[in-house]
Amino acid sequence: SITEKLQGIFKNLRGQGKLTEQNIEETLKQIRASLLEADVHLEAIQKFLEKIKQKSLGKEVALSLTPGQVFIKIVQSELINILTPKDKTSTRLKFAPAPPTLILLAGLQGSGKTTTAAKLAYYYKKDGRKPGLVAADLIRPAAIEQLEVLASQIQVPIFKPAAGEKAIEVCIRAVKSALESNCNMLILDTAGRLHVDESMMSEITSIAQRVKPSNILFVADAMAGQDIVRVVTTFHNKLHLTGTILTKADSDARGGAILSITSTTELPILFVGTSEKMDGLEPFYPDRIASRILG
Amino acid sequence: VINYRTTPEIDFNKLEETLLLADISLQTTENILKTLKSRIESNSSKSNDSGFIVEQLRQILVDKLQINNQRGPLSESTIILLVGVNGVGKTTTAGKLAHQLTHQGRSVTLVAADTFRAAAEEQLTQWASRVKVDIVKGLENEAPATIIYKVLKNFSERTQTIIIDTAGRLHTRVGLMEELKKLVRVAEKMIPLTMLEKWIVLDANMGQNAIHQVEEFHQGIGLTGIVLTKVDGTAKGGIVISLADRFHIPIVYLGVGETMDDIIPFDAQEFVSALLP
Ligand SMILES: Nc1nc2c(ncn2[C@@H]2O[C@H](COP(=O)(O)OP(=O)(O)OP(=O)(O)O)[C@@H](O)[C@H]2O)c(=O)[nH]1
Ligand SMILES: Nc1nc2c(ncn2[C@@H]2O[C@H](COP(=O)(O)OP(=O)(O)OP(=O)(O)O)[C@@H](O)[C@H]2O)c(=O)[nH]1
Ligand SMILES: [Mg+2]
Ligand SMILES: [Mg+2]
């Protein structure tokens, strides 16, 4: 792990009074290697190392600590700092002043949107709310059936497209009839799409503009690599995302993607997916994710 | 001694960046650049020729993908088992592959061995009707190993191509990996090993975790191929270069979209051209 590596590098710096450009150079290289292995974006790493350097140069090392220990603390706290939003309330869902509260899910193909939609419904149902699911993926074979099965598992109402209805139309209809269907919250599941697919990006942008959800969440796969920053930036520019959800965090993927996403967009991370089951959704804890990114 | 960092036309920092941003691991990137530098040194007259340098880099990458990574054509009767973690594109690949292999004149059957995920069978059934191919589904609560056993019992006499779609599973889930190993043991007892293909499906958007996935699946069941999907996005899928280096499992197909025609046989030259800007 990086903490072990850092301990190792700093063994021979014991007794040195200060952290200097020379003695941290090698360590910064090790951290860069570890963060690349964790799939943190190259530019986010650059930015991170700059911050670490600033914070550590010239720092006096108390006699009770080794330079390595001081350094590790700086690295850990900076990671947690990036992952923690400035506004603490932003990690909670925005509830609409007048119901229904809307949550629009967006993301690449296969990232876990449909499963997450149902998990969110289950989570907020247990929280005493009245969520409904909207099946707005008209592209993937059996996408509607998939959400239907999950909706019945958790006993939550579902709005499915009528014959010939388009994705935006089922969303509009669901919003209009939410209250009469006893729903004060709607979670809109959309088709997976590429950020570079103009017609699909325009579809979801129209949905967002029309129904004005107070929550537009990007669903990101924990095993995503370097390109995810480009993807999320595009989604963010078009949709004005309000937050992210990290899925498949139960894998052994280090999850550096979420660090890059958060470092670039400063979007709050609302939830983490931790299994395929309906209760596999947890609120986001910065320190847990920080320690797994470090390795 | 050539100082690469001040060579105006070729900036090695930029090259390193390009490779890393393509999801090529740091270790693989460093050894690629080391090989590149030694080629430039043994051709010192070309040390400022950026065209020469890029061509050498291209060749290094193509070699990594091709050497020890070639595979012959599929056998006349073949069983293709598609495995991999959640959401990578196994079911969609099964459908596309069924379409492509039908067009090659084969008689293809799809097998829905994902009995776990919501509407997984429905999804493959819709694919089967789309590409006009037979599909075998299990009975209520039937285990994947049983479904496969039944399919392979009827397999022996005809020349046939069978494509088996399995449930997404994280390589870290011991129980699910055991289920998969059992599936493969059943298959290996019933058909000649030369007919059994075990392909892992990887998503081009994935980072370094792909290495752990291949490691575990390969150790568990012995992979004979890699399918890389979602290459139509902007992720480069460079992780396959590190995989080629380490595992020598051939890349068989690329998924380039969501419709039935969006699958192409892997070509190292084209793949590398798309990777280098
Ligand atoms: N282990 C694990 N699996 C997950 C998690 N979230 C989703 N999955 C699985 O990932 C796969 C893809 O999930 P979906 O919900 O179908 O993904 P999607 O984004 O809706 O896919 P598209 O609609 O095709 O874009 C399924 O097998 C899910 O069970 C998670 O947090 N952990
Ligand atoms: N753009 C693009 N999308 C793809 C490609 N292959 C699959 N997909 C999409 O990725 C999503 C997931 O595909 P599936 O075939 O359901 O993936 P899977 O591996 O079977 O998922 P699980 O069974 O849940 O583990 C779907 O929306 C597919 O349409 C590809 O090559 N390009
Ligand atoms: Mg979906
Ligand atoms: Mg599937």
Side-chain angles (χ1 to χ4, degrees):
Chain A
S1 78
I2 187 98
T3 24
E4 289 166 358
K5 289 204 193 96
L6 293 184
Q7 307 267 12
I9 294 172
F10 276 96
K11 275 232 291 296
N12 43 6
L13 290 186
R14 222 172 259 272
Q16 303 210 6
K18 261 197 208 159
L19 295 176
T20 67
E21 192 96 36
Q22 283 82 1
N23 64 26
I24 66 172
E25 166 92 23
E26 181 54 34
T27 311
L28 291 180
K29 261 209 188 137
Q30 290 272 354
I31 295 178
R32 179 179 187 259
S34 178
L35 293 181
L36 278 171
E37 194 177 43
D39 295 319
V40 180
H41 192 264
L42 201 52
E43 288 173 22
I45 295 177
Q46 244 112 284
K47 194 166 146 199
F48 183 78
L49 294 180
E50 268 316 301
K51 239 328 167 42
I52 299 301
K53 213 167 162 184
Q54 271 173 32
K55 290 197 167 172
S56 54
L57 281 184
K59 230 183 169 53
E60 288 294 344
V61 181
L63 289 170
S64 55
L65 296 173
T66 65
Q69 287 170 322
V70 174
F71 206 87
I72 289 168
K73 283 211 76 50
I74 293 172
V75 170
Q76 285 174 334
S77 73
E78 184 54 24
L79 274 184
I80 293 177
N81 191 30
I82 295 173
L83 294 170
T84 307
K86 318 288 168 282
D87 162 18
K88 293 289 179 302
T89 66
S90 68
T91 55
R92 289 185 290 116
L93 209 69
K94 293 192 181 69
F95 293 98
T101 286
L102 301 179
I103 305 173
L104 177 66
L105 297 182
L108 295 172
Q109 290 89 346
S111 53
K113 298 174 294 300
T114 303
T115 310
T116 300
K119 287 179 186 177
L120 285 167
Y122 183 66
Y123 182 89
Y124 284 107
K125 180 177 175 184
K126 280 201 285 152
D127 192 41
R129 315 210 178 244
K130 308 210 215 88
L133 286 166
V134 182
D137 177 355
L138 279 73
I139 303 227
R140 168 174 157 152
I144 298 168
E145 285 85 331
Q146 182 186 7
L147 194 61
E148 215 173 352
V149 169
L150 296 177
S152 94
Q153 272 177 19
I154 59 176
Q155 303 261 330
V156 155
I158 177 169
F159 295 84
K160 300 181 294 178
E165 213 173 23
K166 298 212 208 80
I168 189 167
E169 292 164 340
V170 59
C171 291
I172 292 168
R173 178 170 58 81
V175 174
K176 285 210 178 97
S177 48
L179 296 181
E180 74 198 58
S181 316
N182 202 23
C183 293
N184 57 21
M185 172 187 280
L186 286 180
I187 299 149
L188 294 82
D189 179 30
T190 63
R193 69 200 67 224
L194 295 179
H195 52 305
V196 291
D197 183 331
E198 299 223 351
S199 68
M200 287 303 282
M201 289 309 287
S202 128
E203 175 200 78
I204 197 166
T205 306
S206 310
I207 293 175
Q209 286 171 347
R210 191 62 205 278
V211 304
K212 302 190 179 44
S214 46
N215 303 279
I216 304 178
L217 308 178
F218 184 84
V219 176
D221 196 318
M223 50 190 177
Q226 295 285 318
D227 200 57
I228 198 67
V229 168
R230 171 174 10 203
V231 174
V232 183
T233 306
T234 309
F235 271 83
H236 194 27
N237 288 340
K238 302 235 153 104
L239 288 177
H240 309 296
L241 303 169
T242 63
T244 58
I245 296 182
L246 183 69
T247 61
K248 308 177 201 172
D250 43 322
S251 70
D252 61 356
R254 300 260 295 275
I258 199 64
L259 184 73
S260 325
I261 291 172
T262 310
S263 153
T264 312
T265 63
E266 299 196 340
L267 287 168
I269 304 157
L270 271 73
F271 287 104
V272 177
T274 55
S275 85
E276 290 191 74
K277 311 226 291 296
M278 293 295 95
D279 59 0
L281 192 72
E282 298 177 4
F284 169 73
Y285 298 109
D287 50 341
R288 282 191 205 169
I289 297 291
S291 60
R292 87 186 257 161
I293 290 174
L294 271 182
Chain B
V1 155
I2 306 161
N3 184 344
Y4 304 107
R5 311 239 160 188
T6 61
T7 304
E9 296 87 335
I10 278 292
D11 177 356
F12 269 71
N13 284 331
K14 265 270 159 265
L15 279 183
E16 186 199 42
E17 223 176 78
T18 300
L19 300 177
L20 291 174
L21 288 175
D23 286 316
I24 298 177
S25 73
L26 181 62
Q27 192 177 352
T28 306
T29 295
E30 286 177 344
N31 86 48
I32 289 169
L33 293 180
K34 192 150 150 260
T35 307
L36 182 61
K37 285 176 183 175
S38 71
R39 287 204 187 176
I40 294 172
E41 276 170 9
S42 50
N43 261 297
S44 52
S45 62
K46 301 269 187 106
S47 65
N48 274 335
D49 178 349
S50 62
F52 169 79
I53 293 174
V54 171
E55 179 51 31
Q56 287 307 309
L57 176 59
R58 233 188 37 76
Q59 200 51 51
I60 293 167
L61 295 176
V62 169
D63 288 348
K64 281 199 187 291
L65 289 170
Q66 283 186 335
I67 295 176
N68 294 328
N69 274 358
Q70 305 281 37
R71 57 147 308 125
L74 291 176
S75 59
E76 212 179 317
S77 285
T78 190
I79 319 272
I80 301 169
L81 183 72
L82 296 176
V83 304
V85 303
N86 307 72
V88 293
K90 299 174 293 301
T91 305
T92 307
T93 297
K96 293 175 188 174
L97 211 49
H99 181 62
Q100 165 117 171
L101 297 180
T102 299
H103 272 250
Q104 288 177 10
R106 291 167 174 266
S107 146
V108 181
T109 302
L110 282 167
V111 179
D114 176 357
T115 56
F116 170 71
R117 209 209 65 214
E121 276 188 3
E122 266 82 347
Q123 185 187 5
L124 193 64
T125 303
Q126 289 192 19
W127 267 104
S129 81
R130 211 181 252 200
V131 303
K132 305 198 181 43
V133 155
D134 289 337
I135 179 166
V136 171
K137 293 182 277 191
L139 304 171
E140 180 94 49
N141 290 326
E142 195 165 46
T146 313
I147 299 172
I148 289 175
Y149 175 79
K150 287 183 176 170
V151 170
L152 295 184
K153 262 188 89 204
N154 304 322
F155 169 76
S156 48
E157 298 318 321
R158 315 165 26 206
T159 49
Q160 218 186 326
T161 299
I162 298 186
I163 301 169
I164 304 172
D165 179 29
T166 65
R169 74 201 64 225
L170 295 181
H171 51 293
T172 47
R173 295 279 303 270
V174 176
L176 297 181
M177 292 305 285
E178 283 308 310
E179 174 196 81
L180 185 62
K181 288 180 198 169
K182 172 168 179 207
L183 245 172
V184 172
R185 280 197 300 269
V186 165
E188 288 177 335
K189 286 206 191 93
M190 303 176 74
I191 52 168
L193 296 185
T194 50
M195 287 186 193
L196 181 61
E197 296 290 340
K198 296 161 280 179
W199 296 350
I200 187 169
V201 180
L202 300 175
D203 184 330
N205 293 296
M206 275 178 192
Q208 303 306 309
N209 193 251
I211 298 182
H212 296 275
Q213 296 174 24
V214 173
E215 195 163 26
E216 290 301 316
F217 278 90
H218 192 41
Q219 202 182 79
I221 65 172
L223 300 170
T224 64
I226 292 172
V227 177
L228 186 69
T229 62
K230 309 181 197 172
V231 176
D232 47 315
T234 52
K236 301 285 187 176
I239 194 69
V240 297
I241 302 200
S242 308
L243 292 172
D245 242 4
R246 199 165 143 182
F247 297 104
H248 303 300
I249 298 168
I251 302 161
V252 285
Y253 283 99
L254 296 181
V256 294
E258 299 187 76
T259 76
M260 61 175 113
D261 295 309
D262 293 328
I263 187 166
I264 57 177
F266 178 73
D267 179 283
Q269 305 272 356
E270 290 185 4
F271 185 80
V272 170
S273 310
L275 197 148
L276 296 177

